[in-house]
């Protein structure tokens, strides 16, 4: 009988190839990345930018001048020889009064005669004034339109009067119908009154700056003037001042210096003048002393003053990135230097071992910053009941008694983890803030921070 022999089976061995190991590592990495992507699906990153800022601000000023209202000694129709805002020399004719109405009739004829109305240059001059007003007009200062209306009216009236005078001077009886009046001083002539003539600075209050109740009356109406009525105003002193109402914060910033730097009505010319500070009834003013440029603003009572301060650079961050962290406040006398050549700042922590023996170990937590009295310490990595020992002393300080301070900061993601970094806000806006650069445990330009601090927690892995 034939015999069938069984072959001995060989043991099976598994060999793990390098390719399989590499594939497994890549697979695990991709799996982790996918899981992390669920956490960062709504996470946005902001790159910090350098930005410049200034602390300039604007305020309303009132021009205070030595102004004298001149009155007419007779009644009649007035003919002016000096244009609004021009300078007149002492002894020169300012105006004449026509008691018979000859000038009034001549003016009527000029306005009625369209051919002799205005030249192209005169039309261009009026058009330029209108365009200039439109550029600077703001609805918030609607009352300015009334001043502009009177200004244009006076301008047109001056042109009409010049034409009427040309007609009358050809009449031999012209001089007999007019009585001329000369200026007793040299100065700037204007044709309005508003009650602020020779304003006493000691009586300045908030109502003076309320444009809604400001009342300005033109003195050139084209009507017959009555005896003893105001006929023109003259300012004969180049020394004047600008009174400005300020908030408490604005006042505190300005009073640090004896002088102020500013511009008037958006002029490119920067002025640097001395001022007088005034505090009265919880209101704050300054009175800027001026000795030039009075003629430029003789026709204006309210001036836009822009105070100029030096420009500074900082870092721009979104307000949504800002968060707060509670840190320990520890007296600075508990800091000690590191051993050897180390410049680290450390704390001597009191340690009690299992046998009851006391020893000391040095710890080096993050110290965000220090001032003259305290250091502000990161609580991470410190026992909440830790006791610090003062260097070369038996005095101790327990963290259980330490106060906390809410430190403002952002989460920096530059290293792939949400690390808390402190900030010092200099200028705070509605959406963005400017922070101080180059501070300890702060951020730098081009760092990446979490756009919304509420999207992460401290030390969360981001990528």
């Amino acid at each position: 009988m034939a015999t069938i022999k069984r072959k001995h089976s060989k043991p099976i061995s598994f060999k793990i190839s390098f390719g399989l190991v590499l594939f497994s590592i890549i697979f695990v990495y991709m799996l982790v990345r996918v899981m992390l992507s669920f956490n960062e699906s709504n996470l946005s990153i902001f790159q910090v930018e350098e930005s410049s800022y200034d602390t300039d601000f604007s305020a309303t000023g009132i021009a205070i001048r030595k102004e004298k209202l001149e009155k007419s000694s007779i009644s009649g129709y007035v003919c002016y020889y000096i244009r609004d805002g021009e300078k007149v020399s002492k002894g020169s004719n300012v105006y004449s009064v026509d008691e018979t109405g000859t000038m009034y009739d001549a003016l009527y004829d000029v306005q009625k005669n369209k051919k002799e109305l205005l030249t192209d240059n005169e039309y261009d001059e009026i058009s330029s004034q209108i365009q200039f007003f439109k550029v600077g007009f703001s609805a918030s200062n609607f009352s300015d339109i009334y001043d502009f209306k009177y200004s244009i009216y006076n301008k047109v009236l001056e042109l009409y009067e010049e034409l009427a005078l040309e007609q009358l001077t050809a009449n031999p009886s012209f001089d007999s119908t007019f009585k001329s009046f000369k200026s007793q001083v040299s100065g700037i002539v204007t044709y309005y009154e508003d009650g602020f003539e020779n304003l006493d600075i000691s009586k300045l209050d908030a109502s003076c700056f309320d444009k809604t109740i400001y009342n300005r009356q033109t003195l050139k109406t084209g009507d017959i003037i009555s005896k003893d009525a105001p006929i023109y105003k003259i300012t004969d002193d180049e020394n004047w001042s600008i009174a400005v109402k300020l908030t408490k914060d604005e006042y505190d910033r300005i009073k640090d210096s004896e002088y102020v730097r500013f511009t008037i009505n958006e002029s490119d010319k920067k002025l640097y003048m001395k001022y007088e500070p005034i505090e009265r009834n919880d209101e704050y003013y300054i009175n800027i002393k001026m000795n030039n440029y009075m003629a430029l603003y003789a026709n204006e009572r309210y001036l836009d003053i822009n105070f100029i301060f030096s420009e500074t650079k900082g870092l721009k961050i979104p307000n949504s990135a800002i968060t707060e962290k509670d840190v320990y406040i520890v007296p600075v006398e508990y800091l000690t230097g590191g051993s050897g050549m180390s410049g680290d700042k450390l704390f001597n922590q009191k340690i009690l071992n299992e046998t009851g023996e006391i020893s000391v170990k040095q710890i080096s937590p993050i110290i965000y910053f220090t001032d003259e009295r305290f250091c502000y310490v990161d609580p991470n990595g410190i026992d909440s009941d830790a006791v610090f020992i003062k260097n070369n002393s038996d005095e101790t300080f327990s963290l259980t008694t330490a106060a906390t301070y809410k430190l403002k900061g952002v989460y920096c993601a530059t290293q792939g983890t949400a690390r808390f970094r402190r900030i010092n806000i200099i200028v705070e806006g509605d959406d963005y803030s400017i922070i101080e650069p180059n501070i300890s445990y702060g951020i730098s330009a081009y760092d990446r921070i979490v756009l919304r601090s509420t999207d992460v927690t401290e030390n969360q892995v981001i990528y």
Side-chain angles (χ1 to χ4, degrees):
M1 181 174 179
T3 304
I4 300 176
K5 295 182 179 179
R6 299 179 61 186
K7 293 182 178 180
H8 294 288
S9 60
K10 294 182 179 180
I12 299 174
S13 62
F14 295 94
K15 295 183 179 180
I16 301 175
S17 66
F18 174 76
L20 180 61
V21 173
L22 181 61
F23 174 79
S24 299
I25 293 174
I26 294 175
F27 176 79
V28 171
Y29 173 77
M30 293 299 295
L31 182 62
V32 172
R33 289 292 300 163
V34 170
M35 294 177 64
L36 288 175
S37 68
F38 290 110
N39 292 330
E40 63 179 15
S41 58
N42 295 322
L43 192 64
S44 298
I45 301 299
F46 177 86
Q47 182 168 289
V48 178
E49 303 172 355
E50 288 184 335
S51 179
S52 61
Y53 68 95
D54 58 53
T55 52
D56 298 358
F57 67 89
S58 297
T60 298
I62 293 179
I64 301 177
R65 301 174 282 256
K66 294 180 180 178
E67 303 165 323
K68 182 181 180 183
L69 277 171
E70 298 288 353
K71 297 181 180 181
S72 177
S73 60
I74 58 176
S75 63
Y77 183 83
V78 182
C79 175
Y80 292 98
Y81 300 107
I82 304 297
R83 289 193 176 188
D84 199 7
E86 286 187 346
K87 188 170 184 178
V88 64
S89 59
K90 182 179 179 180
S92 297
N93 288 330
V94 180
Y95 69 98
S96 295
V97 176
D98 171 22
E99 297 181 278
T100 64
T102 305
M103 181 64 181
Y104 185 87
D105 293 337
L107 186 60
Y108 176 79
D109 291 339
V110 166
Q111 296 181 51
K112 186 178 178 181
N113 190 344
K114 301 297 183 181
K115 294 181 180 179
E116 297 182 5
L117 194 56
L118 299 175
T119 66
D120 290 341
N121 288 338
E122 290 166 343
Y123 273 120
D124 290 341
E125 186 177 349
I126 294 174
S127 178
S128 296
Q129 290 188 27
I130 295 173
Q131 291 299 323
F132 182 79
F133 175 78
K134 287 172 64 178
V135 171
F137 176 71
S138 171
S140 60
N141 296 323
F142 186 78
S143 60
D144 291 348
I145 200 168
Y146 296 106
D147 295 339
F148 176 69
K149 169 189 171 183
Y150 291 126
S151 175
I152 292 296
Y153 176 82
N154 287 338
K155 180 66 179 176
V156 174
L157 185 59
E158 285 175 353
L159 296 173
Y160 284 161
E161 287 175 341
E162 289 176 4
L163 293 172
L165 279 172
E166 289 178 7
Q167 291 185 5
L168 290 175
T169 51
N171 188 339
S173 62
F174 168 70
D175 291 337
S176 63
T177 63
F178 277 71
K179 184 174 182 180
S180 299
F181 295 87
K182 302 179 184 299
S183 175
Q184 302 301 309
V185 294
S186 174
I188 303 297
V189 172
T190 53
Y191 299 109
Y192 74 94
E193 63 173 329
D194 58 5
F196 284 98
E197 288 78 19
N198 300 313
L199 174 65
D200 188 344
I201 193 68
S202 65
K203 297 180 180 178
L204 195 70
D205 59 27
S207 66
C208 296
F209 295 84
D210 187 352
K211 293 184 181 180
T212 63
I213 61 175
Y214 176 66
N215 184 23
R216 174 175 171 138
Q217 301 290 332
T218 181
L219 301 178
K220 293 181 71 173
T221 63
D223 299 328
I224 294 177
I225 194 169
S226 302
K227 182 181 178 181
D228 296 327
I231 195 165
Y232 74 95
K233 184 164 58 178
I234 189 164
T235 306
D236 63 346
D237 194 342
E238 275 289 326
N239 293 309
W240 60 298
S241 66
I242 306 173
V244 186
K245 188 178 187 303
L246 303 171
T247 66
K248 179 66 165 61
D249 290 341
E250 293 168 347
Y251 181 80
D252 288 341
R253 288 172 56 196
I254 284 180
K255 72 176 185 180
D256 290 337
S257 175
E258 189 178 356
Y259 292 81
V260 287
R261 189 183 300 276
F262 61 98
T263 61
I264 302 176
N265 293 352
E266 299 183 355
S267 168
D268 293 332
K269 188 172 186 63
K270 296 179 175 63
L271 305 177
Y272 190 64
M273 299 290 178
K274 204 168 185 178
Y275 69 94
E276 172 193 3
I278 303 170
E279 297 183 41
R280 187 186 306 126
N281 300 325
D282 294 328
E283 294 178 347
Y284 303 90
Y285 307 90
I286 61 170
N287 192 34
I288 306 172
K289 308 293 187 178
M290 304 287 291
N291 54 19
N292 210 336
Y293 312 112
M294 189 273 295
L296 294 178
Y297 308 103
N299 251 315
E300 299 179 70
R301 183 62 67 190
Y302 292 105
L303 305 172
D304 293 327
I305 308 300
N306 184 59
F307 294 98
I308 303 170
F309 296 84
S310 58
E311 187 178 72
T312 308
K313 293 187 178 298
L315 302 177
K316 179 182 178 181
I317 63 169
N319 291 340
S320 60
I322 300 174
T323 186
E324 290 183 336
K325 177 178 181 177
D326 289 331
V327 298
Y328 289 128
I329 301 177
V330 180
V332 293
E333 54 263 30
Y334 284 89
L335 281 175
T336 183
S339 58
M341 298 298 293
S342 172
D344 295 338
K345 293 295 185 179
L346 312 173
F347 292 107
N348 293 325
Q349 183 175 347
K350 182 179 179 180
I351 302 297
L352 185 65
N353 61 22
E354 296 177 353
T355 62
E357 295 180 346
I358 297 175
S359 61
V360 175
K361 75 170 183 178
Q362 290 189 322
I363 61 173
S364 57
I366 292 176
I367 301 173
Y368 288 110
F369 71 102
T370 62
D371 55 30
E372 294 180 355
R373 299 180 58 195
F374 301 104
C375 49
Y376 298 82
V377 185
D378 184 1
N380 293 336
I382 306 178
D383 296 333
S384 60
D385 59 351
V387 176
F388 298 151
I389 302 176
K390 187 183 293 187
N391 200 30
N392 300 321
S393 173
D394 294 332
E395 294 184 43
T396 61
F397 178 84
S398 174
L399 284 184
T400 58
T401 64
T404 58
Y405 175 80
K406 288 190 178 298
L407 185 65
K408 289 186 181 296
V410 296
Y411 291 123
C412 182
T414 302
Q415 302 299 323
T417 306
R419 303 290 187 187
F420 180 86
R421 293 291 181 262
R422 80 179 182 99
I423 60 173
N424 183 19
I425 299 176
I426 304 174
V427 178
E428 186 172 4
D430 293 335
D431 299 313
Y432 291 87
S433 292
I434 304 297
I435 65 171
E436 182 181 353
N438 305 320
I439 64 173
S440 62
Y441 292 95
I443 56 175
S444 303
Y446 311 114
D447 271 343
R448 293 160 56 83
I449 63 175
V450 178
L451 179 64
R452 292 181 296 273
S453 61
T454 54
D455 290 348
V456 298
T457 57
E458 186 176 0
N459 297 324
Q460 176 181 324
V461 176
I462 297 175
Y463 54 84

